[in-house]
Amino acid sequence: MSDGQRRNPRFEEPLSFTPVPGGPEDYASTADDPVRYVEVVDDKGLLGYLWFQDAADGADFIPCKSRGVEAMQAGVEWGRKLRRHKENGLAPSRAVADLATAAHTAAGGHVAPGDPSEAESESALREQAAGK
């Protein structure tokens, strides 16, 4: 099928992604073994879960599906906060403990009071968030 126009061959080349060394450091965003987590809330209720696992050097925010865009925007904010803690060399558990005691800000909600809970795995926690 030709429409009579020549196609630029660059559009036919496969794209590749090459990470550049020296970019921002992040905690791992997956973990297979049990993870600990805290709830992140705002004035409307549960936004998502902030999980961590030192063995995998992992920590991430999992948004609750029911909160839609609000939860996704909160995830961006929590990602920034976690990145700053990773760049400062903190273990995931220490980073989340620090974030739990930090002053509340309007952006992204805050960690709900209480001790961390445990989930079977990061993927199990994602399934839990999808149902909320």
Side-chain angles (χ1 to χ4, degrees), residues 10-52:
R10 290 184 312 177
F11 294 134
E12 305 300 323
E13 295 174 12
L15 297 176
S16 65
F17 173 76
T18 306
V20 177
E25 289 188 46
D26 286 315
Y27 293 109
S29 60
T30 60
D32 294 327
D33 295 326
V35 298
R36 298 185 52 87
Y37 68 93
V38 293
E39 293 183 343
V40 174
V41 298
D42 65 4
D43 58 346
K44 296 178 187 173
L46 183 64
L47 278 167
Y49 303 103
L50 189 59
W51 69 265
F52 59 96

mmCIF file of all heavy atoms in Angstrom, residues 10-52:
data_model
loop_
_atom_site.group_PDB
_atom_site.id
_atom_site.type_symbol
_atom_site.label_atom_id
_atom_site.label_comp_id
_atom_site.label_asym_id
_atom_site.label_seq_id
_atom_site.Cartn_x
_atom_site.Cartn_y
_atom_site.Cartn_z
ATOM 1 N N ARG A 10 14.262 6.972 8.668
ATOM 2 C CA ARG A 10 14.474 7.060 10.114
ATOM 3 C C ARG A 10 13.240 6.596 10.883
ATOM 4 O O ARG A 10 13.345 6.127 12.005
ATOM 5 C CB ARG A 10 14.817 8.492 10.529
ATOM 6 C CG ARG A 10 16.179 8.917 10.060
ATOM 7 C CD ARG A 10 16.512 10.283 10.571
ATOM 8 N NE ARG A 10 15.389 11.176 10.322
ATOM 9 C CZ ARG A 10 15.325 12.434 10.701
ATOM 10 N NH1 ARG A 10 16.323 12.960 11.346
ATOM 11 N NH2 ARG A 10 14.279 13.171 10.449
ATOM 12 N N PHE A 11 12.061 6.745 10.291
ATOM 13 C CA PHE A 11 10.840 6.319 10.970
ATOM 14 C C PHE A 11 10.685 4.805 10.978
ATOM 15 O O PHE A 11 9.853 4.269 11.691
ATOM 16 C CB PHE A 11 9.610 6.956 10.332
ATOM 17 C CG PHE A 11 9.567 8.451 10.505
ATOM 18 C CD1 PHE A 11 9.262 9.269 9.441
ATOM 19 C CD2 PHE A 11 9.837 9.044 11.728
ATOM 20 C CE1 PHE A 11 9.211 10.638 9.588
ATOM 21 C CE2 PHE A 11 9.804 10.411 11.884
ATOM 22 C CZ PHE A 11 9.492 11.224 10.813
ATOM 23 N N GLU A 12 11.474 4.118 10.205
ATOM 24 C CA GLU A 12 11.422 2.663 10.141
ATOM 25 C C GLU A 12 12.463 1.999 11.038
ATOM 26 O O GLU A 12 12.411 0.808 11.274
ATOM 27 C CB GLU A 12 11.623 2.186 8.694
ATOM 28 C CG GLU A 12 10.653 2.787 7.687
ATOM 29 C CD GLU A 12 9.198 2.475 8.006
ATOM 30 O OE1 GLU A 12 8.906 1.356 8.481
ATOM 31 O OE2 GLU A 12 8.352 3.365 7.796
ATOM 32 N N GLU A 13 13.425 2.775 11.532
ATOM 33 C CA GLU A 13 14.475 2.235 12.389
ATOM 34 C C GLU A 13 13.919 1.922 13.775
ATOM 35 O O GLU A 13 13.110 2.673 14.306
ATOM 36 C CB GLU A 13 15.616 3.244 12.541
ATOM 37 C CG GLU A 13 16.353 3.542 11.265
ATOM 38 C CD GLU A 13 17.376 4.652 11.447
ATOM 39 O OE1 GLU A 13 17.664 5.031 12.609
ATOM 40 O OE2 GLU A 13 17.876 5.147 10.435
ATOM 41 N N PRO A 14 14.359 0.814 14.375
ATOM 42 C CA PRO A 14 13.915 0.519 15.741
ATOM 43 C C PRO A 14 14.527 1.523 16.721
ATOM 44 O O PRO A 14 15.679 1.928 16.576
ATOM 45 C CB PRO A 14 14.437 -0.898 15.997
ATOM 46 C CG PRO A 14 15.538 -1.088 15.003
ATOM 47 C CD PRO A 14 15.228 -0.203 13.829
ATOM 48 N N LEU A 15 13.731 1.927 17.683
ATOM 49 C CA LEU A 15 14.215 2.858 18.693
ATOM 50 C C LEU A 15 14.920 2.093 19.801
ATOM 51 O O LEU A 15 14.520 0.984 20.142
ATOM 52 C CB LEU A 15 13.050 3.649 19.280
ATOM 53 C CG LEU A 15 12.297 4.541 18.307
ATOM 54 C CD1 LEU A 15 11.113 5.187 19.016
ATOM 55 C CD2 LEU A 15 13.207 5.619 17.747
ATOM 56 N N SER A 16 15.920 2.698 20.364
ATOM 57 C CA SER A 16 16.589 2.082 21.498
ATOM 58 C C SER A 16 16.746 3.123 22.599
ATOM 59 O O SER A 16 16.828 4.314 22.333
ATOM 60 C CB SER A 16 17.953 1.518 21.088
ATOM 61 O OG SER A 16 18.803 2.571 20.711
ATOM 62 N N PHE A 17 16.772 2.629 23.808
ATOM 63 C CA PHE A 17 16.930 3.494 24.968
ATOM 64 C C PHE A 17 18.235 3.130 25.646
ATOM 65 O O PHE A 17 18.462 1.977 25.986
ATOM 66 C CB PHE A 17 15.755 3.296 25.940
ATOM 67 C CG PHE A 17 15.926 4.030 27.227
ATOM 68 C CD1 PHE A 17 15.742 5.397 27.295
ATOM 69 C CD2 PHE A 17 16.292 3.356 28.376
ATOM 70 C CE1 PHE A 17 15.905 6.087 28.488
ATOM 71 C CE2 PHE A 17 16.453 4.027 29.572
ATOM 72 C CZ PHE A 17 16.258 5.399 29.621
ATOM 73 N N THR A 18 19.073 4.110 25.841
ATOM 74 C CA THR A 18 20.343 3.892 26.509
ATOM 75 C C THR A 18 20.409 4.804 27.728
ATOM 76 O O THR A 18 20.465 6.030 27.589
ATOM 77 C CB THR A 18 21.521 4.210 25.568
ATOM 78 O OG1 THR A 18 21.375 3.459 24.366
ATOM 79 C CG2 THR A 18 22.843 3.897 26.227
ATOM 80 N N PRO A 19 20.350 4.212 28.925
ATOM 81 C CA PRO A 19 20.436 5.051 30.120
ATOM 82 C C PRO A 19 21.772 5.783 30.189
ATOM 83 O O PRO A 19 22.804 5.245 29.810
ATOM 84 C CB PRO A 19 20.321 4.066 31.280
ATOM 85 C CG PRO A 19 19.936 2.764 30.689
ATOM 86 C CD PRO A 19 20.228 2.815 29.233
ATOM 87 N N VAL A 20 21.725 6.992 30.651
ATOM 88 C CA VAL A 20 22.926 7.796 30.782
ATOM 89 C C VAL A 20 23.427 7.689 32.220
ATOM 90 O O VAL A 20 22.664 7.917 33.156
ATOM 91 C CB VAL A 20 22.632 9.276 30.437
ATOM 92 C CG1 VAL A 20 23.863 10.138 30.635
ATOM 93 C CG2 VAL A 20 22.113 9.388 29.024
ATOM 94 N N PRO A 21 24.678 7.305 32.413
ATOM 95 C CA PRO A 21 25.216 7.228 33.770
ATOM 96 C C PRO A 21 25.140 8.588 34.455
ATOM 97 O O PRO A 21 25.244 9.626 33.815
ATOM 98 C CB PRO A 21 26.674 6.813 33.557
ATOM 99 C CG PRO A 21 26.747 6.270 32.180
ATOM 100 C CD PRO A 21 25.656 6.941 31.401
ATOM 101 N N GLY A 22 24.927 8.544 35.753
ATOM 102 C CA GLY A 22 24.897 9.776 36.517
ATOM 103 C C GLY A 22 23.521 10.383 36.671
ATOM 104 O O GLY A 22 23.382 11.470 37.201
ATOM 105 N N GLY A 23 22.488 9.687 36.220
ATOM 106 C CA GLY A 23 21.130 10.186 36.390
ATOM 107 C C GLY A 23 20.694 10.058 37.840
ATOM 108 O O GLY A 23 21.446 9.600 38.701
ATOM 109 N N PRO A 24 19.465 10.456 38.130
ATOM 110 C CA PRO A 24 18.995 10.383 39.518
ATOM 111 C C PRO A 24 18.916 8.944 40.008
ATOM 112 O O PRO A 24 18.621 8.026 39.241
ATOM 113 C CB PRO A 24 17.608 11.022 39.464
ATOM 114 C CG PRO A 24 17.198 10.943 38.047
ATOM 115 C CD PRO A 24 18.451 10.947 37.231
ATOM 116 N N GLU A 25 19.199 8.766 41.275
ATOM 117 C CA GLU A 25 19.124 7.443 41.886
ATOM 118 C C GLU A 25 17.728 7.224 42.442
ATOM 119 O O GLU A 25 17.140 8.123 43.036
ATOM 120 C CB GLU A 25 20.138 7.332 43.017
ATOM 121 C CG GLU A 25 21.568 7.267 42.553
ATOM 122 C CD GLU A 25 22.508 6.967 43.705
ATOM 123 O OE1 GLU A 25 22.210 6.050 44.494
ATOM 124 O OE2 GLU A 25 23.513 7.671 43.811
ATOM 125 N N ASP A 26 17.207 6.030 42.225
ATOM 126 C CA ASP A 26 15.900 5.664 42.762
ATOM 127 C C ASP A 26 16.015 4.336 43.495
ATOM 128 O O ASP A 26 16.874 3.507 43.183
ATOM 129 C CB ASP A 26 14.875 5.489 41.634
ATOM 130 C CG ASP A 26 14.437 6.810 41.036
ATOM 131 O OD1 ASP A 26 14.163 7.741 41.799
ATOM 132 O OD2 ASP A 26 14.363 6.900 39.796
ATOM 133 N N TYR A 27 15.116 4.128 44.443
ATOM 134 C CA TYR A 27 14.999 2.816 45.052
ATOM 135 C C TYR A 27 14.400 1.866 44.021
ATOM 136 O O TYR A 27 13.714 2.298 43.082
ATOM 137 C CB TYR A 27 14.069 2.869 46.274
ATOM 138 C CG TYR A 27 14.610 3.681 47.422
ATOM 139 C CD1 TYR A 27 14.054 4.903 47.756
ATOM 140 C CD2 TYR A 27 15.677 3.214 48.180
ATOM 141 C CE1 TYR A 27 14.539 5.644 48.819
ATOM 142 C CE2 TYR A 27 16.170 3.960 49.250
ATOM 143 C CZ TYR A 27 15.597 5.170 49.561
ATOM 144 O OH TYR A 27 16.085 5.898 50.614
ATOM 145 N N ALA A 28 14.632 0.566 44.187
ATOM 146 C CA ALA A 28 14.010 -0.428 43.310
ATOM 147 C C ALA A 28 12.493 -0.298 43.438
ATOM 148 O O ALA A 28 11.970 -0.014 44.516
ATOM 149 C CB ALA A 28 14.465 -1.828 43.704
ATOM 150 N N SER A 29 11.780 -0.515 42.340
ATOM 151 C CA SER A 29 10.326 -0.348 42.364
ATOM 152 C C SER A 29 9.584 -1.683 42.401
ATOM 153 O O SER A 29 8.361 -1.708 42.270
ATOM 154 C CB SER A 29 9.869 0.471 41.159
ATOM 155 O OG SER A 29 10.243 -0.180 39.965
ATOM 156 N N THR A 30 10.310 -2.774 42.579
ATOM 157 C CA THR A 30 9.684 -4.088 42.730
ATOM 158 C C THR A 30 10.424 -4.880 43.806
ATOM 159 O O THR A 30 11.603 -4.638 44.070
ATOM 160 C CB THR A 30 9.705 -4.902 41.422
ATOM 161 O OG1 THR A 30 11.068 -5.104 41.026
ATOM 162 C CG2 THR A 30 8.950 -4.189 40.310
ATOM 163 N N ALA A 31 9.704 -5.821 44.397
ATOM 164 C CA ALA A 31 10.300 -6.707 45.398
ATOM 165 C C ALA A 31 9.450 -7.974 45.456
ATOM 166 O O ALA A 31 8.222 -7.894 45.441
ATOM 167 C CB ALA A 31 10.355 -6.042 46.757
ATOM 168 N N ASP A 32 10.095 -9.126 45.493
ATOM 169 C CA ASP A 32 9.365 -10.392 45.484
ATOM 170 C C ASP A 32 8.961 -10.863 46.875
ATOM 171 O O ASP A 32 7.916 -11.463 47.043
ATOM 172 C CB ASP A 32 10.207 -11.483 44.815
ATOM 173 C CG ASP A 32 10.425 -11.196 43.337
ATOM 174 O OD1 ASP A 32 9.531 -10.614 42.711
ATOM 175 O OD2 ASP A 32 11.504 -11.542 42.835
ATOM 176 N N ASP A 33 9.778 -10.629 47.848
ATOM 177 C CA ASP A 33 9.506 -11.101 49.202
ATOM 178 C C ASP A 33 8.536 -10.152 49.908
ATOM 179 O O ASP A 33 8.168 -9.111 49.367
ATOM 180 C CB ASP A 33 10.822 -11.209 49.970
ATOM 181 C CG ASP A 33 11.739 -12.278 49.371
ATOM 182 O OD1 ASP A 33 11.215 -13.289 48.886
ATOM 183 O OD2 ASP A 33 12.964 -12.078 49.386
ATOM 184 N N PRO A 34 8.136 -10.478 51.131
ATOM 185 C CA PRO A 34 7.223 -9.595 51.857
ATOM 186 C C PRO A 34 7.764 -8.170 51.972
ATOM 187 O O PRO A 34 8.969 -7.956 52.095
ATOM 188 C CB PRO A 34 7.113 -10.242 53.238
ATOM 189 C CG PRO A 34 7.365 -11.694 52.977
ATOM 190 C CD PRO A 34 8.405 -11.713 51.886
ATOM 191 N N VAL A 35 6.849 -7.218 51.897
ATOM 192 C CA VAL A 35 7.199 -5.805 52.020
ATOM 193 C C VAL A 35 6.396 -5.195 53.165
ATOM 194 O O VAL A 35 5.333 -5.690 53.518
ATOM 195 C CB VAL A 35 6.920 -5.022 50.717
ATOM 196 C CG1 VAL A 35 7.756 -5.555 49.573
ATOM 197 C CG2 VAL A 35 5.437 -5.043 50.357
ATOM 198 N N ARG A 36 6.927 -4.152 53.725
ATOM 199 C CA ARG A 36 6.201 -3.404 54.751
ATOM 200 C C ARG A 36 5.668 -2.151 54.074
ATOM 201 O O ARG A 36 6.252 -1.662 53.108
ATOM 202 C CB ARG A 36 7.131 -3.089 55.914
ATOM 203 C CG ARG A 36 7.608 -4.406 56.553
ATOM 204 C CD ARG A 36 8.429 -4.239 57.789
ATOM 205 N NE ARG A 36 7.847 -3.402 58.807
ATOM 206 C CZ ARG A 36 7.000 -3.822 59.771
ATOM 207 N NH1 ARG A 36 6.631 -5.079 59.821
ATOM 208 N NH2 ARG A 36 6.554 -2.990 60.681
ATOM 209 N N TYR A 37 4.556 -1.644 54.588
ATOM 210 C CA TYR A 37 3.960 -0.471 53.953
ATOM 211 C C TYR A 37 3.190 0.369 54.956
ATOM 212 O O TYR A 37 2.795 -0.107 56.020
ATOM 213 C CB TYR A 37 3.042 -0.874 52.796
ATOM 214 C CG TYR A 37 1.793 -1.605 53.225
ATOM 215 C CD1 TYR A 37 0.598 -0.912 53.466
ATOM 216 C CD2 TYR A 37 1.784 -2.984 53.393
ATOM 217 C CE1 TYR A 37 -0.548 -1.583 53.859
ATOM 218 C CE2 TYR A 37 0.642 -3.660 53.775
ATOM 219 C CZ TYR A 37 -0.521 -2.952 54.005
ATOM 220 O OH TYR A 37 -1.668 -3.606 54.405
ATOM 221 N N VAL A 38 3.003 1.625 54.581
ATOM 222 C CA VAL A 38 2.178 2.555 55.343
ATOM 223 C C VAL A 38 1.135 3.130 54.389
ATOM 224 O O VAL A 38 1.327 3.152 53.173
ATOM 225 C CB VAL A 38 3.021 3.688 55.976
ATOM 226 C CG1 VAL A 38 3.951 3.142 57.051
ATOM 227 C CG2 VAL A 38 3.817 4.441 54.919
ATOM 228 N N GLU A 39 0.038 3.569 54.960
ATOM 229 C CA GLU A 39 -1.013 4.194 54.153
ATOM 230 C C GLU A 39 -0.725 5.678 53.998
ATOM 231 O O GLU A 39 -0.274 6.334 54.933
ATOM 232 C CB GLU A 39 -2.376 4.002 54.808
ATOM 233 C CG GLU A 39 -2.830 2.567 54.831
ATOM 234 C CD GLU A 39 -4.229 2.407 55.426
ATOM 235 O OE1 GLU A 39 -4.733 3.334 56.101
ATOM 236 O OE2 GLU A 39 -4.818 1.337 55.202
ATOM 237 N N VAL A 40 -1.004 6.189 52.803
ATOM 238 C CA VAL A 40 -0.889 7.614 52.534
ATOM 239 C C VAL A 40 -2.310 8.135 52.337
ATOM 240 O O VAL A 40 -3.071 7.594 51.529
ATOM 241 C CB VAL A 40 -0.027 7.887 51.283
ATOM 242 C CG1 VAL A 40 -0.032 9.370 50.939
ATOM 243 C CG2 VAL A 40 1.396 7.396 51.508
ATOM 244 N N VAL A 41 -2.663 9.149 53.095
ATOM 245 C CA VAL A 41 -4.028 9.672 53.084
ATOM 246 C C VAL A 41 -4.036 11.183 52.871
ATOM 247 O O VAL A 41 -3.023 11.855 53.044
ATOM 248 C CB VAL A 41 -4.751 9.337 54.410
ATOM 249 C CG1 VAL A 41 -4.871 7.837 54.611
ATOM 250 C CG2 VAL A 41 -4.038 9.964 55.598
ATOM 251 N N ASP A 42 -5.203 11.691 52.499
ATOM 252 C CA ASP A 42 -5.448 13.125 52.485
ATOM 253 C C ASP A 42 -6.807 13.354 53.129
ATOM 254 O O ASP A 42 -7.365 12.424 53.727
ATOM 255 C CB ASP A 42 -5.354 13.704 51.066
ATOM 256 C CG ASP A 42 -6.427 13.190 50.125
ATOM 257 O OD1 ASP A 42 -7.327 12.434 50.551
ATOM 258 O OD2 ASP A 42 -6.389 13.566 48.934
ATOM 259 N N ASP A 43 -7.348 14.538 53.008
ATOM 260 C CA ASP A 43 -8.615 14.830 53.675
ATOM 261 C C ASP A 43 -9.802 14.070 53.085
ATOM 262 O O ASP A 43 -10.876 14.035 53.682
ATOM 263 C CB ASP A 43 -8.890 16.336 53.681
ATOM 264 C CG ASP A 43 -8.925 16.939 52.291
ATOM 265 O OD1 ASP A 43 -8.491 16.295 51.325
ATOM 266 O OD2 ASP A 43 -9.400 18.087 52.167
ATOM 267 N N LYS A 44 -9.627 13.431 51.934
ATOM 268 C CA LYS A 44 -10.694 12.640 51.304
ATOM 269 C C LYS A 44 -10.561 11.147 51.575
ATOM 270 O O LYS A 44 -11.419 10.372 51.185
ATOM 271 C CB LYS A 44 -10.708 12.880 49.795
ATOM 272 C CG LYS A 44 -11.029 14.302 49.405
ATOM 273 C CD LYS A 44 -10.966 14.461 47.906
ATOM 274 C CE LYS A 44 -11.109 15.910 47.513
ATOM 275 N NZ LYS A 44 -10.884 16.092 46.073
ATOM 276 N N GLY A 45 -9.452 10.725 52.184
ATOM 277 C CA GLY A 45 -9.260 9.318 52.488
ATOM 278 C C GLY A 45 -7.964 8.755 51.924
ATOM 279 O O GLY A 45 -7.001 9.480 51.680
ATOM 280 N N LEU A 46 -7.960 7.462 51.682
ATOM 281 C CA LEU A 46 -6.766 6.740 51.246
ATOM 282 C C LEU A 46 -6.372 7.107 49.814
ATOM 283 O O LEU A 46 -7.177 7.021 48.899
ATOM 284 C CB LEU A 46 -7.028 5.229 51.338
ATOM 285 C CG LEU A 46 -5.886 4.300 50.990
ATOM 286 C CD1 LEU A 46 -4.724 4.464 51.970
ATOM 287 C CD2 LEU A 46 -6.369 2.851 50.985
ATOM 288 N N LEU A 47 -5.114 7.519 49.650
ATOM 289 C CA LEU A 47 -4.554 7.821 48.329
ATOM 290 C C LEU A 47 -3.772 6.636 47.776
ATOM 291 O O LEU A 47 -3.752 6.393 46.575
ATOM 292 C CB LEU A 47 -3.610 9.020 48.400
ATOM 293 C CG LEU A 47 -4.232 10.392 48.378
ATOM 294 C CD1 LEU A 47 -3.204 11.443 48.779
ATOM 295 C CD2 LEU A 47 -4.791 10.699 46.999
ATOM 296 N N GLY A 48 -3.082 5.915 48.652
ATOM 297 C CA GLY A 48 -2.265 4.799 48.205
ATOM 298 C C GLY A 48 -1.388 4.288 49.324
ATOM 299 O O GLY A 48 -1.595 4.610 50.504
ATOM 300 N N TYR A 49 -0.401 3.495 48.922
ATOM 301 C CA TYR A 49 0.481 2.848 49.885
ATOM 302 C C TYR A 49 1.931 3.171 49.560
ATOM 303 O O TYR A 49 2.345 3.164 48.410
ATOM 304 C CB TYR A 49 0.300 1.335 49.837
ATOM 305 C CG TYR A 49 -1.108 0.889 50.096
ATOM 306 C CD1 TYR A 49 -1.934 0.491 49.052
ATOM 307 C CD2 TYR A 49 -1.626 0.878 51.388
ATOM 308 C CE1 TYR A 49 -3.239 0.080 49.282
ATOM 309 C CE2 TYR A 49 -2.927 0.466 51.627
ATOM 310 C CZ TYR A 49 -3.725 0.075 50.569
ATOM 311 O OH TYR A 49 -5.012 -0.321 50.814
ATOM 312 N N LEU A 50 2.694 3.442 50.589
ATOM 313 C CA LEU A 50 4.129 3.666 50.472
ATOM 314 C C LEU A 50 4.804 2.430 51.043
ATOM 315 O O LEU A 50 4.729 2.179 52.239
ATOM 316 C CB LEU A 50 4.507 4.922 51.258
ATOM 317 C CG LEU A 50 5.904 5.478 51.112
ATOM 318 C CD1 LEU A 50 6.194 5.841 49.659
ATOM 319 C CD2 LEU A 50 6.069 6.703 52.001
ATOM 320 N N TRP A 51 5.421 1.613 50.179
ATOM 321 C CA TRP A 51 6.019 0.356 50.639
ATOM 322 C C TRP A 51 7.540 0.469 50.636
ATOM 323 O O TRP A 51 8.109 1.310 49.962
ATOM 324 C CB TRP A 51 5.557 -0.821 49.789
ATOM 325 C CG TRP A 51 6.083 -0.834 48.379
ATOM 326 C CD1 TRP A 51 5.464 -0.344 47.263
ATOM 327 C CD2 TRP A 51 7.332 -1.368 47.928
ATOM 328 N NE1 TRP A 51 6.256 -0.532 46.160
ATOM 329 C CE2 TRP A 51 7.406 -1.159 46.538
ATOM 330 C CE3 TRP A 51 8.406 -1.990 48.567
ATOM 331 C CZ2 TRP A 51 8.494 -1.557 45.775
ATOM 332 C CZ3 TRP A 51 9.504 -2.392 47.806
ATOM 333 C CH2 TRP A 51 9.533 -2.175 46.427
ATOM 334 N N PHE A 52 8.155 -0.445 51.391
ATOM 335 C CA PHE A 52 9.611 -0.470 51.463
ATOM 336 C C PHE A 52 10.100 -1.869 51.819
ATOM 337 O O PHE A 52 9.384 -2.652 52.424
ATOM 338 C CB PHE A 52 10.134 0.551 52.486
ATOM 339 C CG PHE A 52 9.620 0.337 53.881
ATOM 340 C CD1 PHE A 52 10.362 -0.377 54.803
ATOM 341 C CD2 PHE A 52 8.393 0.852 54.273
ATOM 342 C CE1 PHE A 52 9.897 -0.575 56.105
ATOM 343 C CE2 PHE A 52 7.916 0.666 55.562
ATOM 344 C CZ PHE A 52 8.665 -0.050 56.478
#
